[in-house]
């Protein structure tokens, strides 16, 4: 029986970037947030004498060979488990490729979750190897090898990311809020955006020490704001912490993002370089934010290095008004909601 897995998008609720490091990466401090919006990854795996991987997708832009993150993840996981299998992976793409929504990284985790479920069904030995605590920690290490954005999807919900983004810690979930994702037609290359950031740093004379101080301070600010200010799931949004379709937030007509003051200081450093290259994206942020109006977003920002942007709204009406503004401007968009950790895991496997 094939295993169907939801492969969710993420946004960055804030993203601070440091100076370039000798290893070619950049230190960063970010808060990731998973969304209900998702691709679907279908995995079939059979024990075999040798490993073969076959990939298909409904989207021609998805690489179907070992460059694909799902392929890399499955190959590494089988190697670590000492298992051999014939694996088929189908990626049903709904999220933009190169969108800053972590779609490729989420596909890698969905493929792993699908593989584990398939091997669990297939043999008892693999099942026991998969259930061990050492496997749970090793899969995070495998994820980090595949990409800096992969490990966050092994936690889900609201997640603090440090180092190059691969070192992740669960934060208390924010109450679910409505989210409009704008999907501009342009694609942004993440390595290019980092190179543009380097040019900006050298022009502004940002030293490695100053950037380390900046990121450490940011990590502390995030940790204390989330730990102190965000109520446990259930306190603000009904006992499950989950909204049913069409429902607005119960309780105080204010989000923790605002109540704790987080939304007044979080920002994405990539906006400084990406908006310069693509001024149309700054205009889309303005449409999402609607600052100073009764329908204003709680927060609006570029996600990762873009090109996707998002706006967060307390009620569905404000989110739909944002969608109407984007649609009138010819910008593709989707309505979704932020996805807390428990629901992320509970609903990951499709029936
Ligand atoms: O880790 P990942 O494969 O997602 O990174 C893609 C590229 O983005 C890296 O090769 C590097 O150029 C850049 N990057 C970076 N600093 C990070 C994450 C990624 O410079 N923290």
């Amino acid at each position: 029986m094939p295993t169907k897995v939801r492969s969710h998008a993420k946004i960055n609720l804030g993203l601070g970037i440091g100076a370039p490091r000798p290893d070619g990466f950049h230190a960063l401090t970010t808060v990731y947030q998973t969304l209900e919006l998702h691709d679907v990854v279908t995995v079939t795996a059979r024990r075999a004498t040798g490993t073969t991987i076959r990939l298909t997708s409904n989207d021609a832009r998805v690489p179907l060979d070992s460059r694909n993150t799902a392929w890399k993840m499955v190959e590494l996981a089988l190697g670590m488990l000492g298992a051999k299998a014939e694996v088929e992976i189908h990626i049903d793409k709904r999220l933009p490729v190169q969108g800053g929504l972590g779609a490729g990284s989420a596909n890698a985790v969905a493929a792993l979750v699908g593989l584990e479920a398939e091997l669990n069904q297939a043999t008892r030995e693999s099942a026991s190897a998969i259930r061990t605590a050492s496997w749970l920690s090793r899969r995070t290490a495998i994820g980090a090898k595949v990409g800096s954005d992969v490990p966050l999807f092994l936690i889900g919900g609201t997640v603090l990311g440090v180092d190059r983004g691969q070192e992740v810690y669960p934060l208390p979930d924010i109450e679910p809020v409505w989210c409009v994702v704008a999907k501009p037609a342009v694609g942004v290359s993440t390595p290019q955006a980092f190179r543009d950031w380097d040019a900006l740093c050298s022009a502004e004379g940002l030293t490695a020490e100053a950037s380390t101080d900046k990121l450490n301070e940011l990590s502390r600010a995030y940790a204390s704001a989330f730990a102190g200010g965000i109520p446990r799931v259930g306190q603000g949004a009904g006992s499950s912490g989950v909204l049913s379709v069409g429902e607005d937030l119960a309780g105080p007509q204010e989000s923790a993002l605002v109540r704790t003051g987080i939304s007044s200081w979080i920002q994405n450093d990539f906006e400084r370089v990406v908006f310069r290259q693509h001024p149309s994206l700054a205009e889309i942020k303005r449409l999402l934010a609607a600052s100073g109006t009764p329908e204003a977003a709680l927060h609006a920002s570029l996600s990762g290095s873009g090109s996707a942007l998002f706006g967060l709204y307390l009620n569905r009406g404000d989110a739909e008004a944002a969608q109407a503004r984007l649609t009138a401007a010819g910008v593709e968009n989707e309505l979704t909601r932020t996805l807390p950790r428990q629901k992320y895991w509970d609903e990951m496997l499709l029936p």
Side-chain angles (χ1 to χ4, degrees), residues 24-28 146-149 163-165 190-191 194:
F25 285 89
H26 293 73
L28 50 87
V146 174
S148 308
D149 272 358
D163 195 38
R164 57 184 175 84
T190 302
F194 274 115

Side-chain angles (χ1 to χ4, degrees), residues 13-176:
L13 290 180
L15 174 55
I17 315 171
R21 305 194 311 201
D23 66 0
F25 285 89
H26 293 73
L28 50 87
T29 296
T30 188
V31 173
Y32 301 108
Q33 173 63 55
T34 48
L35 300 180
E36 288 183 358
L37 199 64
H38 60 274
D39 292 336
V40 174
V41 174
T42 307
V43 182
T44 313
R46 284 174 294 275
R47 293 284 263 181
T49 49
T51 289
T52 54
I53 301 172
R54 208 166 70 86
L55 247 172
T56 53
S57 176
N58 65 331
D59 188 325
R61 290 166 305 173
V62 174
L64 301 177
D65 54 22
S66 60
R67 287 169 300 163
N68 191 298
T69 49
W71 180 304
K72 287 183 194 162
M73 192 81 171
V74 163
E75 196 170 42
L76 284 169
L78 285 172
M80 283 256 190
L81 285 165
K84 294 195 170 65
E86 285 171 6
V87 185
E88 284 164 27
I89 307 165
H90 179 75
I91 302 177
D92 185 10
K93 267 272 155 230
R94 300 171 193 184
L95 302 170
V97 178
Q98 280 207 328
L101 297 172
S105 304
N107 289 168
V109 168
L112 176 72
V113 168
L115 177 74
E116 289 171 350
E118 288 280 293
L119 292 182
N120 258 329
Q121 286 167 13
T123 66
R124 254 195 263 126
E125 309 96 82
S126 328
S128 58
I130 285 167
R131 271 193 224 104
T132 61
S134 84
W135 173 243
L136 293 179
S137 73
R138 275 189 301 168
R139 74 215 275 261
T140 307
I142 299 173
K145 272 194 193 168
V146 174
S148 308
D149 272 358
V150 174
L152 85 98
F153 290 106
L154 290 165
I155 297 185
T158 310
V159 180
L160 179 68
V162 295
D163 195 38
R164 57 184 175 84
Q166 92 296 357
E167 190 180 323
V168 284
Y169 302 94
L171 288 169
D173 274 314
I174 61 165
E175 303 119 320

